[in-house]
Amino acid sequence: MILSDVEIKEALEKEDLKIEGVEDLYVGPSSVDLHLDNTALILDKTKTEGIKSIRTDKDSSEYFTEHKDWKEITIYPDEFYILSTREKLTFNSSIAGFIQGRSSIARLGINIHNAGFFDPNFSGTATLEVTNFTRIPITIPADTRICQMVFIRTGKSSENGYHKKKDSKYQGQSGPTLTKIHKDYDKS
């Protein structure tokens, strides 16, 4: 069941759900808008020679340039950005969530995509994969309400929350976080 604004506020009050990092939460009828942080990892097209293997390439950072402490960021057409939310989210064992881009941002031609689903007991910031589908650069200020988190209450508490999963790669992440898909193939 998707939580309403009343249920979201109750979950926050009971600390079944924690959202830290901003003064005033923007709670909509059935979601919470999350704000854009001011750190970015931008794919550097000059460093993308060769074939990237998700099995063996353990460090993608060589392909990205980090930008910090900006007041606004320009999203250029046909480029790929790893951004994050300012908010740190902490779910209990009976709440999960998923993120969607805001329609007002999408109508500019900006796609806010992410792996979208947040398991019970996840804790960390949300990483956003961002692209510009237009032919013009679009500038977005830091702290813009960039996406919205929808919360779901599970029927029963999770027995093995994200924090207990052997292969949980992103627990505790802070800021834009690159892929760790290679860990799916590590046998050690």
Side-chain angles (χ1 to χ4, degrees), residues 60-124:
S60 297
S61 63
E62 66 186 276
Y63 301 111
F64 289 84
T65 302
E66 184 176 43
H67 298 272
K68 288 183 163 194
D69 300 323
W70 39 266
K71 295 194 184 327
E72 59 185 26
I73 188 167
T74 301
I75 309 294
Y76 289 91
D78 197 32
E79 292 198 4
F80 181 64
Y81 298 73
I82 305 279
L83 305 175
S84 71
T85 60
R86 183 166 301 282
E87 291 85 353
K88 176 187 176 190
L89 305 150
T90 302
F91 297 82
N92 75 359
S93 61
S94 65
I95 294 180
F98 60 91
I99 283 187
Q100 299 188 159
R102 291 184 56 222
S103 63
S104 294
I105 302 294
R107 292 172 198 209
L108 293 170
I110 299 293
N111 181 39
I112 307 296
H113 178 76
N114 47 40
F117 187 77
F118 293 76
D119 284 310
N121 294 116
F122 171 82
S123 182

Side-chain angles (χ1 to χ4, degrees), residues 3-133:
L3 301 186
S4 71
D5 54 354
V6 172
E7 293 166 307
I8 291 168
K9 290 173 185 175
E10 287 172 355
L12 290 166
E13 192 173 299
K14 292 180 187 174
E15 295 190 352
D16 290 343
L17 172 66
K18 293 180 187 173
I19 304 174
E20 303 168 277
V22 295
E23 296 284 322
D24 297 316
L25 282 182
Y26 186 92
V27 180
S30 59
S31 65
V32 173
D33 284 0
L34 303 178
H35 298 81
L36 182 61
D37 194 19
N38 64 349
T39 300
L41 298 171
I42 303 172
L43 183 65
D44 185 339
K45 291 181 181 180
T46 66
K47 298 179 181 178
T48 56
E49 296 175 14
I51 297 172
K52 176 138 183 68
S53 168
I54 65 171
R55 181 184 298 252
T56 59
D57 285 355
K58 295 185 183 212
D59 185 7
S60 297
S61 63
E62 66 186 276
Y63 301 111
F64 289 84
T65 302
E66 184 176 43
H67 298 272
K68 288 183 163 194
D69 300 323
W70 39 266
K71 295 194 184 327
E72 59 185 26
I73 188 167
T74 301
I75 309 294
Y76 289 91
D78 197 32
E79 292 198 4
F80 181 64
Y81 298 73
I82 305 279
L83 305 175
S84 71
T85 60
R86 183 166 301 282
E87 291 85 353
K88 176 187 176 190
L89 305 150
T90 302
F91 297 82
N92 75 359
S93 61
S94 65
I95 294 180
F98 60 91
I99 283 187
Q100 299 188 159
R102 291 184 56 222
S103 63
S104 294
I105 302 294
R107 292 172 198 209
L108 293 170
I110 299 293
N111 181 39
I112 307 296
H113 178 76
N114 47 40
F117 187 77
F118 293 76
D119 284 310
N121 294 116
F122 171 82
S123 182
T125 58
T127 293
L128 310 171
E129 299 85 27
V130 179
T131 50
N132 177 348
F133 289 132

